[in-house]
Amino acid sequence: MPREPPVLDYQLLKNHAGILLVGDYHSLAELHEVVHDVNDRSPLLRQDDGPFLGLAYDVRKAYEQQREILLPPEGFEEIGVRYGVEILWPVLLVQHRMLRVSLGYLDHSKRHQAITYALEAVIEDALREDFGTQGQAIIDRWLRLDPDIDVFEKLDSRGAMFCSWSKTQRNKRFASLLSSFGLMFGIESVQQTAESVSSRELQRWEGVEWPDPNW
């Protein structure tokens, strides 16, 4: 039986925290399978059970009906039951970039591409809706993020800082937070603004338990 193309969707969480990633059973199961395959073969990943694999764990919990269950609206039963899981913005964006860039190092199929691009489209739409005029700047910085072998170590302090921010701070500073993953971060010649994330700030969040993101 031919596979249906992946169908993913989203709902925004509160306070610019992230999204509820939504899909039917087959689309989420496909994403789970592809993430596991990339995790096993990508030269950019050095942990067998690290944060990248957390994406597979989250979507598995969703389609196993252990997270959000979304029933079809009354009168639209043909939509079918869908499943969702909450994911913070910095976590999802780094996970997706690792997925996307890793494919460039691996033999892969159109199935890999289909689910990867479906997730990318959902993220772009959600960022534009969530951040309004800041949305495109955030998308541009996210798509320039080149994941290296230390990217998830960097995520530890950046995720903690993001969770501590208010809704207003996330709107103003998230683009700068994404830039802080780059190789040029911390170089004095790079122009800084009042909203820029500094290396001194990030040092204070290293090894700190992530606060409640209020999502």
Side-chain angles (χ1 to χ4, degrees):
M1 180 180 296
R3 292 174 180 263
E4 294 292 329
V7 180
L8 300 175
D9 202 353
Y10 70 92
Q11 294 178 8
L12 296 179
L13 303 180
K14 297 186 301 182
N15 301 315
H16 302 308
I19 63 171
L20 182 76
L21 179 62
V22 176
D24 61 17
Y25 178 93
H26 295 289
S27 296
L28 294 176
E30 183 85 350
L31 180 56
H32 175 269
E33 181 179 337
V34 166
V35 169
H36 264 281
D37 180 50
V38 170
N39 187 75
D40 290 341
R41 297 192 294 128
S42 174
L44 301 178
L45 290 158
R46 56 184 180 182
Q47 287 182 277
D48 292 336
D49 192 21
F52 174 69
L53 203 58
L55 179 57
Y57 173 85
D58 281 339
V59 299
R60 178 173 61 82
K61 287 295 183 181
Y63 69 70
E64 289 180 344
Q65 304 183 43
Q66 297 183 50
R67 295 296 185 264
E68 298 290 330
I69 300 175
L70 290 80
L71 300 177
E74 186 175 351
F76 294 90
E77 287 74 16
E78 67 274 12
I79 293 175
V81 178
R82 297 175 299 156
Y83 310 98
V85 62
E86 297 174 337
I87 310 180
L88 291 168
W89 273 131
V91 176
L92 180 59
L93 298 193
V94 171
Q95 288 171 330
H96 180 272
R97 284 302 293 163
M98 179 60 76
L99 174 61
R100 178 77 167 82
V101 174
S102 290
L103 292 185
Y105 292 87
L106 307 172
D107 290 333
H108 62 273
S109 68
K110 292 181 179 179
R111 287 177 49 215
H112 291 77
Q113 294 178 13
I115 196 66
T116 300
Y117 285 120
L119 180 57
E120 186 169 320
V122 162
I123 292 172
E124 286 192 2
D125 288 346
L127 285 171
R128 290 192 178 96
E129 181 181 351
D130 202 12
F131 291 94
T133 58
Q134 300 292 324
Q136 190 58 51
I138 291 171
I139 290 170
D140 291 342
R141 297 190 190 196
W142 162 52
L143 294 178
R144 288 200 298 268
L145 196 160
D146 187 12
D148 55 35
I149 59 174
D150 297 322
V151 70
F152 289 109
E153 294 177 13
K154 296 176 182 177
L155 179 61
D156 183 54
S157 58
R158 288 151 179 82
M161 177 185 284
F162 178 85
C163 288
S164 76
W165 283 345
S166 67
K167 178 178 182 179
T168 299
Q169 287 175 309
R170 289 171 184 166
N171 187 58
K172 291 182 178 180
R173 306 193 71 194
F174 188 38
S176 178
L177 187 73
L178 290 176
S179 293
S180 75
F181 284 95
L183 296 176
M184 298 296 290
F185 176 68
I187 297 177
E188 293 181 359
S189 61
V190 177
Q191 185 176 3
Q192 302 291 305
T193 69
E195 307 300 338
S196 295
V197 170
S198 71
S199 55
R200 182 175 299 179
E201 282 183 288
L202 288 171
Q203 287 173 0
R204 295 200 295 267
W205 289 100
E206 290 179 358
V208 175
E209 184 176 349
W210 291 17
D212 182 352
N214 191 23
W215 57 2

